[in-house]
Amino acid sequence: MRTALVTGITGQDGGYLARHLLAHDYRVVGAYRHGSKPRAQNLNALGIRDDIELIPLELLETTNLLRIVDKYRPDEVYNLAAQSFVAVSFEQPLLTSNINALGTMRLLEAIRAIQPEARFYQASTSEMFGRVHDVPQTEETPFYPRSPYGVAKLFAHWATVNYRESHDLFACSGILFNHESPLRGPQFVTRKITQGIARIETGKQSEIVLGNLSAKRDWGYASEYVEAMWLMLQQDEPDDFVVASGETRTVREFVEAALAAAGREVEWKGEGIDERGIDKQSGKTLIRVSEDFYRPAEVDLLLGDPSKAEKALGWQRKTSFEELVRLMVEADLALERGESPSRL
Ligand code: NAP
Ligand code: GDP
């Protein structure tokens, strides 16, 4: 039985990846931060909490990482842990860098020292492309990050490449474009929208306040993206891959699709921070724009080309944008009504 160590097990991807690994008969050692109690809602929702060995791990603490790698001797390490919210990285750039950049290097050092045969996956991101140089973005597109989050992730990406080239580690960087699900953190725009709509439908909230509606993202379904992570570590040679849907949509389009999934339609009035989405049926404002949710620097357009992953890994996204939005809205409606979502 192969052992996989997954950092960030309590996050969105941690849960889906663990489910995938368990289905492939792995012993899954799932690492959460802090010593007291893991935030296990996602693992409970997926019904896999009792199948995972949950251990505390802190990416800021070198000796802790050394002891864990020594104790569990993992065959595969998936480094999903991060301060993953771009907006927070502008307010907490040093913490973000310490976790996302140096934390990755600490883990690579622990593997290099103790278990160099372990295969390593780094959760890299399309945010590294930032102010994009090519459309669509591929593995060859130059990087130009636009946030402390992107800068720190770029350090971790190059550290992964460097440990592969310098120390012969089987280290892969997955450059994943935005991926979403009912388990996505509620501060991210997609979940904020679908949860907001479900709360409006159940009378708990009257409107959703958002920032830049014109930003474009390449959104896919997280449950499918973790399969690409696993596939990267099953190849003969380590490499880096873009994982994306190959389609881009504005935040405004996401709002419209989510409202449509709940049977609503808005009329847009005003421009910029004065823009409002007004419910065509009731005339009430459902969407309001506020400067509070704008960022000091924006990533305007992300569109990934997943051709290399499709050819080399045989990976293919299956869920369309519309299906993804619908499944998120349906799950949030169920949750707000106190029911269990039919699909996660
Ligand atoms: P997420 O839900 O925010 O999960 C992040 C995880 O990291 C949480 O379990 C968190 O623990 C843990 N963590 C944070 N700081 C830590 C520390 N100092 N030591 C140990 N653990 C720590 O993120 P996600 O959406 O699953 O994404 C997984 C990874 O992929 C992240 O690295 C993210 O940056 C990257 N990524 C995500 C996307 C996307 O669209 N989702 C796209 C590209 C790349 P707590 O539960 O204690 O907070
Ligand atoms: P990111 O791509 O990792 O930053 O994922 P987010 O979901 O946090 O943001 C995606 C895009 O939505 C960014 O361009 C944000 O500026 C934009 N956006 C607009 N309004 C909001 C909002 O209220 N919250 C968040 N998180 N993003 C917003």
Side-chain angles (χ1 to χ4, degrees), residues 85-86 127 178 187 189 192 211-212 215 217 251 295 298:
F85 191 33
V86 171
E127 290 291 320
N178 295 51
Q187 71 275 37
V189 76
K192 185 174 168 181
N212 179 9
R217 289 291 181 276
V251 173
R295 294 175 180 177
E298 179 62 282

Side-chain angles (χ1 to χ4, degrees), residues 36-98:
S36 53
K37 221 167 143 230
R39 184 174 61 87
Q41 302 99 298
N42 289 351
L43 303 176
N44 283 330
L46 292 168
I48 56 172
R49 189 188 194 283
D50 295 339
D51 303 322
I52 296 169
E53 288 173 56
L54 286 172
I55 59 156
L57 171 150
E58 176 51 72
L59 277 182
L60 300 175
E61 181 77 52
T62 308
T63 52
N64 169 231
L65 299 177
L66 288 165
R67 276 192 296 274
I68 287 170
V69 173
D70 191 30
K71 180 168 177 189
Y72 293 98
R73 299 283 171 161
D75 301 291
E76 297 174 12
V77 178
Y78 295 86
N79 185 33
L80 308 185
Q83 190 304 94
S84 69
F85 191 33
V86 171
V88 162
S89 77
F90 287 102
E91 294 304 319
Q92 300 180 354
L94 300 178
L95 179 70
T96 301
S97 303
N98 205 343

Side-chain angles (χ1 to χ4, degrees), residues 189-205:
V189 76
T190 54
R191 186 78 198 288
K192 185 174 168 181
I193 293 164
T194 60
Q195 198 176 55
I197 290 174
R199 290 178 64 80
I200 290 171
E201 292 300 327
T202 51
K204 297 173 191 161
Q205 188 174 322

